């Protein structure tokens, strides 16, 4: 196996003598979208912030791409890491284009290259540059501000993207669109992303890997399917089950209601009239996170993924 992109070993952090992260170990493969999932207060944000050294850890080692992340000057480290938070952190008196250009300008990119990059990112986040480049943050909706926050984090093409509950404060429809955007960007750029959330549906939708946290430790890590199918403890089972899978709903909703029209997947298609519970059972039996979907006449009409079950 190739070296993990991020490796935390025995990492700990206490505040006022109370351990909020204790002996935490986690390896994130290159190109993964790793979701740190767990209840509020379990230490997800603190863990994320130790990776970019916004919070100094008390003990343990953190390696990024095989290198000790605790030694180099913090500016050099942060240049390699994009960071997105719930309250965007945009500079209120700067236009959208200047906000996005922050890091490239700190790195003294030539101005034409900065402008080209800003343009490219606005288009990637589906914000028309002619409309948005010159606006100020307060002139944008919450969802648009988050898009700008993501564009800014990606501006200097960091190797890693850390996202701390980035979509928690936006309405469900906007959140859905932003999640789709992150999935697309992850697929297009292959960047390693660590994403913090307490929302199981969001985790199942986005993650290639989930690390479930409880009281400052990782209690289980694996693919979304592993976590749903084989919870390692009662805590994980309760957290995943109670929170959201909504097993009763799964039994009444149809694949047709959640299908991604025109998308593709390998393997034998499932019938669009099947229940979501049947789709979940098929995913578990075949150990895949996606199924092709066909109508009764055998015509393949799209695909359904694990995350679609809980949307
Ligand atoms: P999560 O992201 O899972 O909600 P956090 O990492 O934000 O959890 O916090 C974990 C625990 O550490 C919480 O009990 C929180 O109150 C505490 N904590 C976080 N930051 C500080 C701080 N700067 N000072 C004291 N306690 C803190």
């Amino acid at each position: 196996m190739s070296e993990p992109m991020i490796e935390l070993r025995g990492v700990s952090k206490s505040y006022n003598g109370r351990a909020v992260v204790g002996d935490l170990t986690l390896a994130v493969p290159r190109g993964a979208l790793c979701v740190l999932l767990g209840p509020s207060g379990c230490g997800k944000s603190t863990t994320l912030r130790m990776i970019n050294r916004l919070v100094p850890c008390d003990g343990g080692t953190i390696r990024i791409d095989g290198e000790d992340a605790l030694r180099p000057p913090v500016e050099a480290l942060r240049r390699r890491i994009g960071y997105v938070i719930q309250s965007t952190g945009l500079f209120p008196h700067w236009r959208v284009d200047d906000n996005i250009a922050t890091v490239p300008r700190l790195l003294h990119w030539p101005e034409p290259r900065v402008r080209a990059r800003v343009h490219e990112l606005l288009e990637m986040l589906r914000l028309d540059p002619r409309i948005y480049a010159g606006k100020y943050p307060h002139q944008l909706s919450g969802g648009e501000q988050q898009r700008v926050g993501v564009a800014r984090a990606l501006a200097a093409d960091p190797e890693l993207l850390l996202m701390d509950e980035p979509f928690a404060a936006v309405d469900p429809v906007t959140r859905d669109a932003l999640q789709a955007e992150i999935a697309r960007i992850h697929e297009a750029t292959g960047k390693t992303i660590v994403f913090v959330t307490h929302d199981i549906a969001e985790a199942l939708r986005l993650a290639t890997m989930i690390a479930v946290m409880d009281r400052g430790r990782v209690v289980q890590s694996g693919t979304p399917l592993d976590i749903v199918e084989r919870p390692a403890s009662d805590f994980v089972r309760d957290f995943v089950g109670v929170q959201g899978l909504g097993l009763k709903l799964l039994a009444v909703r149809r694949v047709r209601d959640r299908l991604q029209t025109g998308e593709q997947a390998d393997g034998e298609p499932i019938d669009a009239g099947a229940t979501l519970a049947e789709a979940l059972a098929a995913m578990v039996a075949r150990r895949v996170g996606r199924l092709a979907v066909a109508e009764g006449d055998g015509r393949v009409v799209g695909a359904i993924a694990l995350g679609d079950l809980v949307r």
Side-chain angles (χ1 to χ4, degrees), residues 192-208:
T192 309
I193 301 177
V194 185
F195 190 109
V196 163
T197 186
H198 60 268
D199 177 354
I200 177 78
E202 185 163 72
L204 292 181
R205 174 151 190 208
L206 292 176
T208 60

Side-chain angles (χ1 to χ4, degrees), residues 9-298:
R9 276 208 202 153
V11 169
S12 61
K13 178 74 194 175
S14 295
Y15 285 113
N16 313 318
R18 191 173 70 91
V20 296
V21 173
D23 197 22
L24 180 139
T25 291
L26 175 70
V28 181
R30 186 180 304 277
L33 197 164
C34 172
V35 171
L36 300 183
L37 175 69
S40 183
C42 72
K44 305 181 296 293
S45 288
T46 304
T47 301
L48 199 72
R49 291 158 145 252
M50 287 193 285
I51 297 172
N52 64 6
R53 283 167 53 191
L54 279 172
V55 167
C57 56
D58 297 341
T61 59
I62 301 181
R63 302 179 79 79
I64 294 180
D65 203 9
E67 291 167 31
D68 185 347
L70 301 176
R71 276 182 193 283
V74 77
E75 301 74 30
L77 178 82
R78 296 223 184 111
R79 244 170 247 150
R80 302 170 64 186
I81 305 180
Y83 183 49
V84 184
I85 54 177
Q86 189 183 121
S87 56
T88 75
L90 296 177
F91 302 121
H93 303 301
W94 288 17
R95 291 159 36 139
V96 163
D97 50 4
D98 293 326
N99 263 290
I100 296 173
T102 307
V103 179
R105 285 193 178 130
L106 279 175
L107 297 176
H108 303 296
W109 288 17
E111 199 52 28
R113 184 175 166 211
V114 173
R115 279 198 292 273
R117 180 65 177 153
V118 169
H119 191 91
E120 177 184 36
L121 284 160
L122 283 169
E123 296 206 315
M124 185 194 278
L125 273 305
R126 301 190 210 261
L127 294 166
D128 184 341
R130 287 165 305 180
I131 296 172
Y132 288 96
K135 290 202 187 229
Y136 290 87
H138 75 267
Q139 297 172 307
L140 308 178
S141 71
E144 289 164 348
Q145 289 183 22
Q146 273 312 336
R147 283 170 195 265
V148 176
V150 173
R152 186 174 66 170
L154 288 170
D157 203 19
E159 295 157 68
L160 270 182
L161 195 56
L162 306 182
M163 308 186 78
D164 194 349
E165 304 243 16
F167 311 142
V170 298
D171 65 87
V173 174
T174 304
R175 188 180 315 138
D176 200 62
L178 288 167
Q179 287 168 351
E181 225 55 81
I182 287 303
R184 195 174 53 81
I185 287 168
H186 178 242
E187 205 164 292
T189 62
K191 282 200 192 305
T192 309
I193 301 177
V194 185
F195 190 109
V196 163
T197 186
H198 60 268
D199 177 354
I200 177 78
E202 185 163 72
L204 292 181
R205 174 151 190 208
L206 292 176
T208 60
M209 164 189 178
I210 295 179
V212 182
M213 288 185 64
D214 179 26
R215 285 170 291 172
R217 287 166 194 263
V218 173
V219 291
Q220 185 173 8
S221 67
T223 65
L225 205 57
D226 286 333
I227 305 285
V228 170
E229 184 196 5
R230 285 195 292 240
S233 64
D234 290 346
F235 171 81
V236 176
R237 178 179 299 109
D238 290 349
F239 189 71
V240 171
V242 169
Q243 230 206 341
L245 263 183
L247 287 170
K248 288 195 190 114
L249 273 183
L250 289 186
V252 295
R253 289 262 162 77
R254 305 278 153 183
V255 167
R256 189 175 286 122
D257 306 332
R258 299 289 174 87
L259 129 107
Q260 304 172 32
T261 312
E263 293 291 310
Q264 296 182 349
D266 297 331
E268 176 77 8
I270 189 166
D271 194 283
T275 65
L276 296 180
E278 287 166 327
L280 178 62
M283 288 178 194
V284 166
R286 298 187 207 170
R287 307 216 45 74
V288 295
R290 270 172 94 75
L291 300 169
V293 179
E295 279 298 345
D297 56 7

